[in-house]
Amino acid sequence: MKIPFLNLKPMHTEIRNEILAAFEKIYDKNLFILGDSVAAFEREFAKYCNVAYCISCGNGLDALSIILRGYDIGEGDEVIVPSNTYIATALAVSYVGAKVVFVDPDIKTFNIDINKINKAITQKTKAIIAVHLYGRPADIDKIRVICNNNNLKLIEDAAQAHGAIYNGKRTGNLGDAAGFSFYPGKNLGALGDGGAILTNDITLAKKVEAIRNYGSKIKYHNEYKGVNSRLDEMQAEFLRIKLKYLDKWNADRQNTVKLYLEKINNTKIIIPYINSPQESIWHIFAIRTEFRDKLQNHLNANGISTLIHYPIPIHLQKAYIDLGYKPGDFKVAETLSNTELSLPLWYGMSKNEINYIINTLNKW
Ligand SMILES: *Cc1c(COP(=O)(O)O)cnc(C)c1O
């Protein structure tokens, strides 16, 4: 049996007719940028997250960097980010000229370690970016206390957590502002690039709305040196369709994960720590083992594709050589990069495929 790491086919077969109709609708309308469809998607996604404002943009990286710009965070400022995340979280900080300050994650939850944040705060710290890594909400209540005590903005990187719920609230509604990505492989993905900023802060909302569109609220009147980072009408229509199915698709992933959690019983493998399987929307199902590379080869030899999230921690990437870090500086991120393995997980996996993966793992 061959099982890809990600397979969008079941999802895209289900909505094929709706998507093609949406394509025709926009194609015939001949209006492609910042029209009714973008406005409708922004309304619908804001409502879904129960947040006052949604401002769409070109991608998740831009969403984060535009939020930072909206808060006037830049040169001379510091922003705390977890050391184990996709590099975009750190790049957003670098893009605005601020300094990235890493904090190691908790090895159990993979999210930023609450107990290590205080040590990283200085006079220059302006914000914490809490990443809901692999779909599991970060421990926001505790991060909120730290932010309040130190007058910091709490920014969510929700690029892996569309629809995840923390204490009854959806991600996107847990901080001062949140950045989402609609990269096709995310739980809510466009058919190309896309992103969004969510916030209840009207001042920020107005400012980021201008920044994403050349810094202009009124055509040819430019208040800020903005950027061109817009969601287009096509992608907005595709996302409106997919948003209707998001809860169903997330529930299907949760059901697959329930089987993984119940049935993977190989003692060489550490399965994810959980309170309840419903707390995460499982963008990624991350197992750990000391013998990670051997396991990856074993699965590969049996037709099962896996990925590592992430093989090189950001502080050891060539792009961040200027920060002067060396191996050993963020031990948990390094341990994860050496032991983590992400199993196939996508909407529409069959019982057969799931059981084949479980059996292949248990026989190893
Ligand atoms: C995907 C991702 C991003 C960036 O999103 P893009 O749309 O690819 O720019 C940012 N942060 C995290 C945690 C991500 O997984």
Side-chain angles (χ1 to χ4, degrees):
M1 199 180 303
K2 272 226 170 307
I3 305 178
F5 177 72
L6 176 66
N7 177 14
L8 297 175
K9 224 173 183 169
M11 180 185 278
H12 286 169
T13 303
E14 191 166 306
I15 57 172
R16 184 185 163 84
N17 291 339
E18 280 180 89
I19 291 282
L20 295 183
F23 174 83
E24 272 190 34
K25 179 173 108 179
I26 300 299
Y27 190 77
D28 292 339
K29 213 165 157 187
N30 285 298
L31 199 160
F32 299 104
I33 300 289
L34 295 184
D36 294 344
S37 297
V38 164
F41 172 69
E42 291 178 338
R43 257 194 327 271
E44 287 159 11
F45 195 54
K47 184 162 175 234
Y48 176 81
C49 299
N50 198 21
V51 173
Y53 307 100
C54 169
I55 300 94
S56 59
C57 62
N59 55 66
L61 170 60
D62 285 354
L64 293 171
S65 70
I66 293 171
I67 291 168
L68 293 168
R69 282 200 58 190
Y71 283 134
D72 290 316
I73 294 170
E75 205 83 31
D77 298 328
E78 295 179 0
V79 177
I80 291 174
V81 308
S83 57
N84 183 55
T85 176
Y86 182 55
I87 196 165
T89 317
L91 286 176
V93 176
S94 304
Y95 270 26
V96 300
K99 186 180 167 200
V100 182
V101 176
F102 295 113
V103 169
D104 247 344
D106 175 339
I107 192 93
K108 273 194 355 226
T109 65
F110 307 120
N111 278 328
I112 196 163
D113 188 336
I114 309 306
N115 301 313
K116 291 181 183 159
I117 296 177
N118 273 318
K119 271 206 310 267
I121 296 174
T122 73
Q123 293 295 328
K124 294 179 178 170
T125 311
K126 290 285 150 57
I128 298 175
I129 303 184
V131 182
H132 308 305
L133 200 71
Y134 309 153
R136 182 204 305 265
D139 199 349
I140 286 293
D141 285 351
K142 295 196 181 119
I143 301 173
R144 171 51 81 194
V145 171
I146 297 171
C147 286
N148 287 353
N149 288 342
N150 296 278
N151 197 22
L152 309 178
K153 294 293 179 198
L154 172 44
I155 299 167
E156 295 172 74
D157 180 341
Q160 301 190 358
H162 315 76
I165 292 172
Y166 175 93
N167 282 348
K169 282 174 151 185
R170 282 205 202 278
T171 58
N173 189 19
L174 303 175
D176 295 302
F180 281 87
S181 162
F182 305 122
Y183 178 79
K186 310 285 177 167
N187 287 40
L188 177 60
L191 306 182
D193 277 312
I197 294 160
L198 277 90
T199 184
N200 288 309
D201 173 349
I202 187 168
T203 312
L204 181 76
K206 291 210 157 127
K207 196 162 167 191
V208 298
E209 189 178 7
I211 292 174
R212 67 141 183 213
N213 188 29
Y214 293 113
S216 149
K217 282 174 199 158
I218 305 162
K219 211 171 168 86
Y220 306 129
H221 291 66
N222 299 75
E223 255 179 89
Y224 313 101
K225 294 189 189 78
V227 294
N228 174 2
S229 181
R230 301 173 300 218
L231 189 71
D232 61 67
E233 290 283 286
M234 254 336 153
Q235 298 303 339
E237 275 303 313
F238 300 154
L239 284 166
R240 291 182 71 195
I241 293 164
K242 284 190 161 188
L243 180 58
K244 293 186 295 181
Y245 294 84
L246 179 60
D247 286 345
K248 173 186 162 186
W249 292 340
N250 278 343
D252 180 77
R253 294 170 94 102
Q254 286 168 336
N255 286 334
T256 300
V257 164
K258 245 173 104 184
L259 294 174
Y260 277 161
L261 293 171
E262 272 167 26
K263 293 191 180 166
I264 297 172
N265 58 19
N266 186 324
T267 52
K268 293 198 287 290
I269 294 170
I270 303 168
I271 58 173
Y273 161 82
I274 44 149
N275 290 324
S276 101
Q278 260 62 49
E279 77 169 335
S280 173
I281 47 92
W282 300 103
H283 175 60
I284 284 168
F285 186 81
I287 59 172
R288 293 205 306 114
T289 170
E290 233 183 294
F291 316 100
R292 194 266 317 279
D293 294 349
K294 276 190 193 147
L295 177 56
Q296 188 170 36
N297 289 337
H298 169 75
L299 292 175
N300 212 21
N302 285 281
I304 300 167
S305 295
T306 55
L307 285 179
I308 296 163
H309 294 95
Y310 296 90
I312 305 170
I314 306 171
H315 69 283
L316 300 178
Q317 292 279 7
K318 207 169 154 194
Y320 276 107
I321 208 159
D322 57 316
L323 292 178
Y325 289 117
K326 54 186 189 316
D329 284 341
F330 295 96
K331 289 201 175 65
V332 181
E334 291 167 31
T335 300
L336 288 175
S337 74
N338 290 323
T339 59
E340 192 273 349
L341 191 67
S342 306
L343 298 184
L345 182 57
W346 28 273
Y347 168 72
M349 281 176 83
S350 70
K351 284 265 150 50
N352 244 348
E353 287 168 321
I354 299 166
N355 285 329
Y356 176 71
I357 293 167
I358 291 166
N359 290 335
T360 309
L361 286 166
N362 288 343
K363 279 191 300 206
W364 173 59

